[in-house]
């Protein structure tokens, strides 16, 4: 029964009721003379968990002390200490109290595990008592508490860095590398950081360099003599050389170090990811050529003949070498490179017959590289078809290679093939935290290609994950307390904070609202209810309404999940996103992309906010409340500012938002005119009427010209050559961001505008009413025509099939595979069917949405 009640509390998020329930149970059980110890422990811990859910650190601390006294368990004494220094109660006073409490415990010898020592040291560090913290770490109780001595030494080194005792920290890291583990990368970074911080560039640099390289050589020799060959010592040599180059001590990283790494690890699939940051630091063409020459020379000693292991080793080394060549832009011809790679890839397919289908196949990287080369010529749809066909062919042999599917998702997005994108999303099984870290891969695509049903499904899954996290994360914090994992208390809390301030959650919420406006709201009342739910409920947390609020959101997107052969992206000079294929947003620098995305989502939020105010206007008064009018003016100003910021990156989106903004700005004029028709004639009425007629005429012209551009011109999306695929983006964007919101606005106008004049109205008022009514009727007919045109798009199947009836360049490329024409055609036809079917689905969706909007438009009377 208790679990049923608790589940109900979680669903309703009435955590205050849980507190009251457990507080009553705690008081009742404590009052019993012979209470059951186990029951009281369970109730006490549950009450502590209830205080965690309400973020009440004061009650957590007091209750933990109560449990310590009543249950005679030292564990709860430390719980009260941890509760004192939570992020919500991290004051100097609380830190001082916690310091004294732990010091007493430490002196009494009651600290027994590593977590408690770490926490004590953390409290001292927060108070800047670094020397005292170092003394604690070097004490005998600390040595006994740390089960692994190297962890204690690592913690000591990090504390010495805070004390700026770089020489001592460097020596500790060196000792750890030489005696404990020569493959721990964080120790190498710590060693180099302290080496340079201690003043290597100003000292005897030559001797220092020789000494460090000698140390690394010894570590390399040691690992080569072991059964397991570690990459750390060899990669550290590249890292050290890179730092020497950055400090101006060396001109560049020696090419011999790249050759050495290729010799030992070129046969591993991680090779290119390992060396990519160091390739990016090569500043001269001569240095890059030298690296490639050394790698090619080493590759020449391996052959595709011999036994099976030799063949597999050669294929991996070839992929590594070609990855370097690709990243250095050293291939003479993209088409020739793709053809050669596919030829080698076809050979490797025969070597995978005995492998499990869940494994990553030998030669997969060759096919991936070939697809990237095919995408070099994005000016034609044929190149995108080539890449899609290559990837589909490779997936046939390696169904579980997620890199194929990630790249294919972007290619299909550029082709306007949402159906293909959805298939890849389904096969990738994106779920849980991936919905937040990988949401950027599908939200824009489904929004831009009119797939509202699928978009709703994925955004609801995203919201469900965040809801579960908000309701259940505090249970994990309580478990960390129970298991004395105090470092996890902070870690889980920070994870929760990161998710609660997720930028991707806000993007998903906005996308869901626009999808619901298309599918579920066909009247003014339903639009009002939807927007009320978005802005007033907690379904998507607190909706950010200002630039500062959006700037505080955390971008949890994982840009490193995809293989990248562009050194500009690897080094962070350009955004590391392959989605630039589909022009969902401009792909310039990482900082530029992040700023552009935040401006874009805030612009959409403000547009929805304006629509929310308009839809919520009282119909009986025909006037906005003073508060709504103030908010309306503030939002208009912010939208205009944001439109200027995105002007240079997306002219079409800017013009569409300008159109929506103009319609929203007209609403106060329409409301004022409608209410003034029932008053006595005045000069203000005449001037207001003239202004409204001017604005309505201007808006009608702008609407007509923008729609004509969208509906008649085959404008591309991500492709420089005109084609049919690119029109989907603009057609979808115009429907969701202009036509559908405009339908809500005009629905309001029709409800507040009087269908006929009062008998005592003046002739001037009657004439004004007739003129404005005619303009509004014409605007309504224009909107009706727009949705009628969308409705007609769903019946153009034969035309779409004809437009796609051409032979892509994929067939000549597949000749290098030795496939028969029928085999190659089968793959290409599959891609063509996917693209054709996707476009047809999008057009049918246009028709479905348009039909519903047309029904409501027919009820609007002017």
């Amino acid at each position: 029964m208790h679990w049923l009640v608790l589940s109900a509390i979680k669903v309703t998020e009435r955590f205050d009721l849980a507190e009251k329930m457990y507080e009553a149970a705690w008081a009742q059980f404590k009052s019993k003379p012979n209470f059951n110890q186990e029951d009281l422990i369970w109730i006490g811990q549950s009450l502590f968990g209830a205080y965690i859910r309400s973020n009440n650190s004061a009650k957590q601390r007091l209750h933990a002390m109560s449990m310590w006294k009543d249950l005679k368990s030292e564990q709860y004494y430390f719980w009260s200490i941890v509760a004192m220094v939570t992020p919500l109660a991290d004051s100097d006073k609380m830190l001082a109290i916690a310091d004294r409490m732990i010091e007493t415990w430490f002196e009494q010898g009651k600290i027994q595990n590593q977590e408690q020592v770490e926490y004590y040291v953390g409290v001292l560090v927060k108070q800047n008592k670094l020397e005292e913290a170092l003394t604690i770490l070097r004490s005998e109780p600390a040595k006994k508490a740390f089960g692994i001595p190297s962890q204690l030494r690592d913690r000591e080194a990090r504390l010495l860095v805070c004390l700026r005792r770089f020489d001592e920290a460097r020596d500790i890291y060196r000792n750890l590398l030489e005696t404990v583990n020569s493959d721990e990368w964080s120790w190498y970074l710590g060693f180099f950081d302290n080496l340079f911080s201690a003043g290597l560039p100003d000292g005897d640099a030559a001797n220092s360099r020789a000494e460090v390289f000698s140390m690394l050589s010894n570590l390399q020799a040691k690992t080569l003599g072991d059964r397991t060959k570690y990459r750390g010592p060899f990669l550290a040599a590249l890292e050290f050389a890179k730092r020497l180059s950055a400090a101006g001590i060396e001109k560049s990283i020696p090419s011999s170090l790249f050759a050495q790494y290729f010799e030992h690890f070129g046969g591993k699939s991680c090779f290119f990811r390992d060396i990519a940051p160091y390739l990016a630091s090569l500043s001269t063409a001569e240095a890059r050529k030298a690296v490639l020459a050394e790698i090619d020379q080493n590759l020449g000693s391996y052959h595709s003949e011999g036994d099976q292991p030799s063949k597999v080793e050669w294929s991996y080394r070839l992929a590594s070498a070609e990855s370097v060549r690709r990243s250095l832009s050293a291939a003479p011809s993209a088409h020739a490179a793709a053809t050669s790679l596919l030829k080698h890839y076809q050979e490797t397919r025969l070597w995978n017959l005995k492998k499990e289908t869940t494994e990553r196949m030998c030669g997969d990287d060759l096919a991936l590289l070939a697809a990237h080369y095919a995408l070099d010529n994005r000016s034609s749809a044929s190149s995108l078809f080539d890449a899609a066909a290559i990837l589909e062919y490779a997936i046939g042999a390696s169904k579980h290679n997620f890199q194929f599917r990630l790249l294919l998702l972007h290619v299909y997005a550029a082709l306007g093939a949402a159906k293909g994108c959805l298939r890849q999303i389904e096969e990738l099984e994106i779920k849980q935290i991936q919905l937040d870290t990988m949401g950027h891969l599908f939200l824009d695509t489904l929004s831009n290609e009119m797939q509202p049903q699928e978009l709703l499904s994925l955004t609801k899954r995203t919201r469900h994950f965040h809801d579960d996290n908000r309701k259940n994360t505090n249970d994990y914090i309580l478990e960390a307390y129970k298991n004395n994992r105090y470092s996890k208390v902070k870690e889980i809390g920070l994870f929760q904070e990161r998710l609660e301030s997720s930028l991707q959650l806000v993007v998903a919420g906005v996308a869901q609202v626009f999808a619901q406006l298309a599918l579920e709201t066909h009247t003014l009342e339903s639009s009002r209810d939807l927007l009320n739910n978005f802005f007033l409920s907690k379904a998507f947390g607190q909706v950010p309404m200002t630039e500062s609020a959006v700037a505080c959101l955390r971008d949890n997107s994982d840009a490193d999940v995809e293989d990248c052969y562009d050194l500009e992206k690897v080094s962070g000079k350009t955004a590391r996103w392959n989605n630039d294929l589909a022009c969902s947003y401009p792909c310039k620098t990482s900082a530029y992309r992040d700023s552009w995305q935040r401006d874009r989502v805030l612009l959409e939020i403000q547009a929805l906010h304006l629509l929310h105010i308009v839809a919520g206007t009282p119909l009986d008064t025909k006037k906005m409340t003073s508060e709504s009018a103030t908010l309306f003016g503030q939002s208009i100003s912010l939208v205009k500012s944001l439109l200027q910021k995105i002007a240079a990156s997306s002219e079409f989106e800017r013009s569409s938002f300008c159109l929506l903004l103009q319609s929203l700005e007209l609403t106060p004029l329409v409301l004022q005119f409608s209410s003034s028709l029932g008053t006595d004639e005045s000069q203000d009425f005449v001037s207001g009427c003239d202004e409204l007629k001017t604005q309505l005429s201007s808006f009608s012209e702008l609407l007509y010209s923008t729609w004509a551009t969208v509906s008649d011109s085959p404008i591309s999306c991500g492709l420089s050559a005109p084609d049919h695929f690119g029109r989907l983006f603009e057609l979808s964007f115009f429907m969701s961001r202009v036509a559908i919101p405009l339908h809500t606005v005009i629905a309001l106008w029709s409800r507040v505008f009087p269908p006929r004049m009062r008998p005592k109205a003046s002739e001037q008022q009657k004439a004004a009413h007739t003129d404005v009514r005619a303009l509004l009727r014409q605007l309504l007919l224009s909107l009706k025509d727009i949705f009628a045109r969308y409705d007609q798009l769903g019946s153009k199947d034969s035309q779409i099939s004809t437009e796609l009836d051409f032979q892509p360049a994929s067939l000549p490329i597949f000749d290098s595979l030795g496939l028969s024409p029928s085999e190659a055609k089968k793959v290409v036809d599959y891609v063509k069917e996917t693209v054709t079917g996707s476009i047809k689905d999008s057009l049918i969706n246009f028709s479905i949405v348009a039909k519903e909007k047309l029904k409501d438009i027919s009820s609007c009377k002017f």
Side-chain angles (χ1 to χ4, degrees):
M1 185 65 181
H2 160 266
W3 293 110
L4 185 61
V5 173
L6 191 58
S7 297
I9 289 173
K10 276 190 176 183
V11 170
T12 58
E13 297 190 53
R14 289 293 307 275
F15 298 123
D16 56 319
L17 298 179
E19 285 187 30
K20 293 177 181 178
M21 179 178 70
Y22 288 123
E23 283 172 348
W26 174 254
Q28 181 178 355
F29 270 77
K30 277 176 56 178
S31 63
K32 292 182 178 181
N34 297 316
F35 59 79
N36 185 294
Q37 181 84 358
E38 291 184 1
D39 288 343
L40 194 60
I41 290 174
W42 180 81
I43 293 172
Q45 291 180 346
S46 298
L47 178 55
F48 189 81
Y51 291 144
I52 292 175
R53 292 189 189 94
S54 61
N55 289 322
N56 194 326
S57 58
K59 286 189 175 181
Q60 290 175 43
R61 182 175 69 255
L62 293 173
H63 180 61
M65 290 300 291
S66 175
M67 286 195 292
W68 172 57
K69 295 174 181 177
D70 293 329
L71 300 174
K72 311 301 181 184
S73 174
E74 304 291 352
Q75 178 187 29
Y76 304 119
Y77 181 88
F78 214 86
W79 284 23
S80 67
I81 296 172
V82 175
M84 285 184 188
V85 289
T86 59
L88 295 178
D90 198 356
S91 64
D92 293 338
K93 180 181 178 180
M94 289 299 176
L95 285 171
I97 296 174
D99 184 4
R100 289 195 296 271
M101 291 177 67
I102 305 177
E103 182 181 13
T104 301
W105 240 38
F106 187 80
E107 291 173 351
Q108 295 175 357
K110 293 182 178 179
I111 288 186
Q112 299 176 348
N113 58 59
Q114 179 178 338
E115 287 283 339
Q116 294 172 342
V117 175
E118 286 270 21
Y119 211 86
Y120 187 16
V121 170
V123 169
L124 292 171
V125 169
K126 285 183 178 182
Q127 299 175 92
N128 203 31
K129 297 181 178 180
L130 302 179
E131 290 290 353
E132 293 181 35
L134 185 61
T135 301
I136 295 299
L137 281 177
R138 290 176 172 176
S139 66
E140 285 301 319
K143 292 178 182 178
K144 292 179 181 179
F146 273 78
I148 303 175
S150 60
Q151 292 181 354
L152 177 62
R153 296 286 286 163
D154 180 38
R155 186 69 182 88
E156 180 183 348
R158 286 186 278 130
L159 195 54
L160 287 168
V161 172
C162 296
L163 288 164
R164 304 187 65 80
R165 290 158 63 172
F166 302 120
D167 288 337
E168 294 179 60
R170 177 198 61 204
D171 292 342
I172 288 176
Y173 283 123
R174 177 169 183 168
N175 178 263
L176 288 171
L177 289 167
E178 291 178 334
T179 61
V180 180
N181 184 3
S182 62
D183 199 44
E184 178 55 56
W185 189 241
S186 64
W187 293 346
Y188 282 109
L189 295 180
F191 174 76
F192 293 135
D193 288 343
N194 288 282
L195 181 69
F196 282 85
S197 296
L200 171 65
D202 300 324
D204 190 349
N207 289 338
S208 298
R209 293 201 304 273
E211 182 182 352
V212 173
F213 276 121
S214 175
M215 179 197 82
L216 294 176
S217 295
N218 292 335
L219 292 175
Q220 291 168 4
K222 181 180 177 181
T223 190
L224 289 175
D226 295 338
R227 293 183 61 184
T228 302
K229 189 192 301 184
Y230 293 132
R231 290 145 52 209
F234 297 91
L235 203 59
L238 286 164
E239 176 68 22
F240 183 52
K242 177 185 175 182
R243 296 195 182 208
L244 290 173
S245 176
I249 299 174
E250 295 285 359
K251 292 183 178 180
S252 183
I253 302 176
S255 59
S256 59
L257 293 180
F258 289 99
Q260 180 191 46
Y261 199 75
F262 183 81
E263 178 183 355
H264 293 294
F265 304 104
K268 294 184 177 293
S269 58
C270 61
F271 170 81
F272 180 73
R273 274 186 175 257
D274 285 349
I275 69 164
Y278 308 107
L279 288 172
S281 69
L282 297 175
S283 56
T284 65
E286 292 76 12
R288 296 187 174 196
K289 287 180 180 178
V291 169
L292 193 56
E294 293 258 18
I295 289 177
D296 282 341
Q297 182 179 357
N298 186 283
L299 180 64
S301 60
Y302 294 86
H303 304 283
S304 60
E305 301 174 356
D307 57 10
Q308 184 80 353
S310 299
K311 291 179 179 180
V312 172
E313 173 76 10
W314 171 82
S315 70
Y316 279 112
R317 287 186 175 275
L318 176 64
S320 296
E322 292 301 324
S323 297
V324 174
R325 194 182 318 280
R326 163 76 181 172
S327 67
L328 299 179
S329 303
S333 164
H335 181 81
T339 302
S340 174
L341 287 166
L342 286 175
K343 182 178 180 181
H344 291 306
Y345 169 69
Q346 185 66 7
E347 295 177 23
T348 65
R349 284 172 69 106
L350 301 175
W351 307 339
N352 295 319
L353 299 178
K354 295 183 179 180
K355 278 195 171 186
E356 295 291 335
T357 57
T358 54
E359 295 184 57
R360 188 165 180 166
M361 300 298 173
C362 168
D364 279 3
D365 289 337
L366 298 175
L368 190 64
L369 280 164
H372 275 281
Y373 274 116
L375 291 172
D376 279 352
N377 182 22
R378 302 175 192 170
S379 60
S380 68
S382 294
S383 296
L384 290 169
F385 264 105
D386 281 345
I390 291 169
L391 292 167
E392 289 286 11
Y393 178 68
I395 286 175
S398 184
K399 300 184 187 302
H400 296 277
N401 189 322
F402 68 92
Q403 293 293 346
F404 289 156
R405 297 193 181 279
L406 288 174
L407 185 57
L408 190 56
L409 192 156
H410 299 309
V411 173
Y412 277 139
L415 286 169
K419 182 179 178 181
C421 296
L422 287 167
R423 186 185 303 128
Q424 305 317 313
I425 293 170
E426 181 180 344
E427 292 294 335
L428 285 168
E429 296 182 351
I430 297 175
K431 55 190 175 183
Q432 298 298 324
I433 187 62
Q434 293 173 330
L435 292 167
D436 198 65
T437 60
M438 299 175 69
H440 62 278
L441 296 175
F442 54 80
L443 286 178
D444 272 358
T445 297
L446 298 182
S447 296
N448 294 344
E449 293 168 16
M450 202 55 194
Q451 299 291 328
Q453 289 284 10
E454 291 75 9
L455 183 61
L456 272 179
S457 174
L458 286 167
T459 54
K460 286 179 179 178
R461 284 170 54 191
T462 301
R463 188 181 70 181
H464 181 69
F465 162 71
H466 281 272
D467 286 344
D468 282 349
N469 170 74
R470 186 176 64 254
K471 294 173 183 177
N472 298 326
T473 299
N474 291 311
D475 293 338
Y476 306 143
I477 294 177
L478 179 59
E479 287 302 314
Y481 270 105
K482 291 179 180 179
N483 293 294
N484 299 322
R485 300 300 301 274
Y486 304 116
S487 60
K488 295 299 179 183
V489 171
K490 180 179 180 181
E491 185 179 319
I492 296 171
L494 292 175
F495 176 78
Q496 183 181 29
E497 179 186 344
R498 191 179 184 96
L499 284 181
E500 287 178 349
S501 59
S502 168
L503 173 63
Q504 202 60 44
L505 175 62
V506 176
V507 172
V510 172
Q512 178 172 328
V513 172
F514 277 111
Q516 288 177 308
L517 282 171
L519 287 176
E520 301 174 2
T521 61
H522 307 301
T523 64
L524 178 63
E525 288 75 16
S526 59
S527 297
R528 181 190 302 131
D529 292 342
L530 170 64
L531 293 168
N532 278 338
N533 182 59
F534 178 66
F535 285 103
L536 304 179
S537 75
K538 296 182 180 180
F540 290 96
Q542 185 68 34
V543 180
M545 300 298 295
T546 63
E547 290 182 275
S548 59
V550 172
C552 292
L553 297 176
R554 305 289 293 271
D555 186 357
N556 299 327
S557 302
D558 185 1
D560 293 327
V561 68
E562 301 174 71
D563 283 343
C564 177
Y565 301 100
D566 187 339
L567 295 183
E568 292 291 306
K569 294 180 180 180
V570 171
S571 62
K573 294 179 181 178
T574 59
R576 189 170 179 170
W577 297 58
N578 282 326
N579 210 21
D580 55 344
L581 286 174
C583 88
S584 296
Y585 45 75
C587 189
K588 297 183 179 179
T589 65
S590 296
Y592 183 92
R593 181 207 61 81
D594 182 71
S595 174
W596 188 93
Q597 187 184 34
R598 292 175 190 272
D599 290 340
R600 159 80 176 275
V601 72
L602 180 57
L603 180 60
E604 293 183 331
I605 288 172
Q606 288 297 330
L608 290 172
H609 183 233
L610 289 168
L611 195 62
H612 180 218
I613 295 174
V614 168
T617 301
L619 299 177
D620 53 346
T621 62
K622 301 180 182 180
K623 292 181 180 179
M624 293 182 185
T625 63
S626 58
E627 181 182 1
S628 295
T630 302
L631 293 174
F632 190 86
Q634 293 172 349
S635 290
I636 289 288
S637 299
L638 180 54
V639 168
K640 289 181 177 179
S641 172
L642 292 169
L643 285 172
Q644 291 299 320
K645 293 178 71 174
I646 72 166
S649 59
S650 179
E651 181 56 36
F652 171 73
E653 292 189 25
R654 180 181 178 276
S655 62
S656 297
F657 277 119
C658 283
L659 191 61
L660 175 59
L661 177 64
Q662 191 169 341
S663 73
L664 292 165
E665 282 187 293
L666 276 169
T667 299
L669 294 176
V670 174
L671 293 173
Q672 182 180 358
F673 177 79
S674 300
S675 59
S676 65
L677 287 175
T679 62
D680 294 334
E681 183 180 356
S682 67
Q683 188 62 36
D684 291 339
F685 166 76
V686 175
S687 61
C689 174
D690 292 339
E691 181 183 359
L692 177 58
K693 288 193 291 186
T694 302
Q695 294 284 357
L696 282 173
S697 298
S698 174
F699 176 71
S700 295
E701 292 176 4
L702 181 61
L703 176 64
Y704 178 80
S705 61
T706 305
W707 169 243
T709 302
V710 173
S711 60
D712 297 336
S713 300
I715 302 172
S716 71
C717 169
L719 311 172
S720 59
D723 55 61
H724 182 81
F725 315 119
R727 292 181 58 192
L728 279 177
F729 166 70
E730 295 196 354
L731 285 167
S732 299
F733 192 87
F734 189 87
M735 174 178 260
S736 63
R737 270 54 171 187
V738 179
I740 292 175
L742 183 57
H743 163 255
T744 299
V745 173
I746 291 183
L748 172 72
W749 293 355
S750 72
R751 298 285 287 276
V752 300
F753 191 82
R756 59 183 64 86
M757 286 299 297
R758 59 193 176 93
K760 295 182 179 181
S762 67
E763 292 300 322
Q764 195 171 27
Q765 285 180 321
K766 291 179 180 179
H769 176 268
T770 301
D771 292 343
V772 173
R773 186 169 180 267
L775 288 170
L776 291 174
R777 186 189 303 114
Q778 182 58 45
L779 190 57
L780 180 65
L781 291 174
S782 296
L783 183 62
K784 186 175 181 180
D785 178 64
I786 289 173
F787 281 116
R789 292 283 297 276
Y790 274 113
D791 187 19
Q792 294 170 5
L793 287 173
S795 62
K796 289 191 174 182
D797 293 358
S798 58
Q799 179 182 342
I800 299 301
S801 300
T802 302
E803 292 181 9
L804 292 176
D805 189 18
F806 66 94
Q807 293 297 328
S810 303
L811 289 175
I813 281 187
F814 277 173
D815 286 343
S816 62
L817 297 176
L819 299 181
S820 65
S822 61
E823 290 177 306
K825 189 174 185 300
K826 182 179 179 181
V827 177
V828 177
D829 285 348
Y830 179 78
V831 175
K832 288 173 63 177
E833 187 278 329
T834 299
V835 175
T836 306
S838 295
I839 294 175
K840 290 179 181 178
D841 288 346
S842 295
L843 297 181
I844 291 171
N845 287 334
F846 283 140
S847 180
I848 292 172
V849 174
K851 278 183 169 63
E852 293 298 328
K853 301 303 178 186
L854 284 170
K855 291 179 183 178
D856 188 65
I857 288 176
S858 300
S859 65
C860 296
K861 305 294 182 182
F862 284 119

